[in-house]
Amino acid sequence: MRNYKISQMRTPTGKVMWCGAEDDEQEQIILWSENMKSMYPELDLLYHVPNGGKRTKSEAARFKRMGVKSGVPDLVLPVARGGYAGAYVELKVGPNKATKNQEHWISKLEEQGYYTAVCYGSIEAEETIEWYLQQGKTVLMTMEQCGRKDAERGL
């Protein structure tokens, strides 16, 4: 990992935390997930949604045409646990709060049966993801159980 500077910050609720920049915290979560795969092989499915960052107007327009949506949470874990279809985690640092777009996405994802969390810093996100993975497996039907086959879908 590149230079990782941490500083003391307060969350919107006043909790004091030590953390780095959001990008650094994001990298830390992915590094943690790589190291924890022996305990939780499902972490191989954890991925980051690269919605943030600075882009030119033409790049932003191109990404929008490609389907990038503002407000989608930072991390996705498509693993069914605890009665949920999967998990989405929005990462924040310091006094930052979820935006209206992020709150909208979180609400819509919850309506669809996903676990969601807004976590402040990598440690809270790692603890949340680990807690989620320790929940019992959610039983979902496979395509075969639904009576669907690839040929029926035109594949």
Side-chain angles (χ1 to χ4, degrees):
M1 187 189 254
R2 54 191 170 78
N3 254 347
Y4 182 52
K5 295 180 183 178
I6 63 170
S7 57
Q8 191 177 44
M9 297 184 195
R10 288 193 183 274
T11 68
T13 62
K15 180 180 173 185
V16 176
M17 62 182 288
W18 287 92
C19 65
E22 191 167 317
D23 287 354
D24 293 333
E25 294 294 298
Q26 178 66 50
E27 287 181 28
Q28 180 59 39
I29 294 165
I30 298 303
L31 179 62
W32 167 84
S33 73
E34 293 293 325
N35 290 327
M36 294 296 288
K37 281 182 189 175
S38 61
M39 185 177 284
Y40 303 107
E42 302 90 344
L43 284 171
D44 192 43
L45 297 172
L46 179 69
Y47 65 93
H48 171 64
V49 177
N51 275 357
K54 295 191 189 303
R55 294 189 170 87
T56 65
K57 284 185 180 183
S58 63
E59 284 177 314
R62 182 172 153 258
F63 278 107
K64 188 172 183 176
R65 287 190 307 271
M66 292 170 54
V68 170
K69 307 245 178 172
S70 174
V72 175
D74 296 306
L75 292 164
V76 181
L77 184 58
V79 174
R81 292 286 187 278
Y84 297 100
Y88 283 80
V89 174
E90 176 60 34
L91 180 66
K92 295 293 179 191
V93 296
N96 297 335
K97 294 193 279 189
T99 66
K100 293 287 182 200
N101 276 346
Q102 290 166 338
E103 289 173 356
H104 171 79
W105 269 95
I106 287 168
S107 174
K108 293 297 181 184
L109 289 165
E110 288 173 354
E111 287 175 14
Q112 294 302 313
Y114 291 94
Y115 174 79
T116 65
V118 176
C119 295
Y120 284 85
S122 59
I123 293 171
E124 186 175 328
E126 292 159 8
E127 289 171 349
T128 299
I129 293 166
E130 188 167 14
W131 170 85
Y132 178 79
L133 287 171
Q134 291 171 354
Q135 305 311 299
K137 288 186 179 184
T138 300
V139 178
L140 300 173
M141 292 180 71
T142 64
M143 288 184 33
E144 291 79 20
Q145 290 169 325
C146 292
R148 295 187 65 187
K149 296 182 174 69
D150 288 345
E152 293 170 352
R153 296 184 299 139
L155 298 177

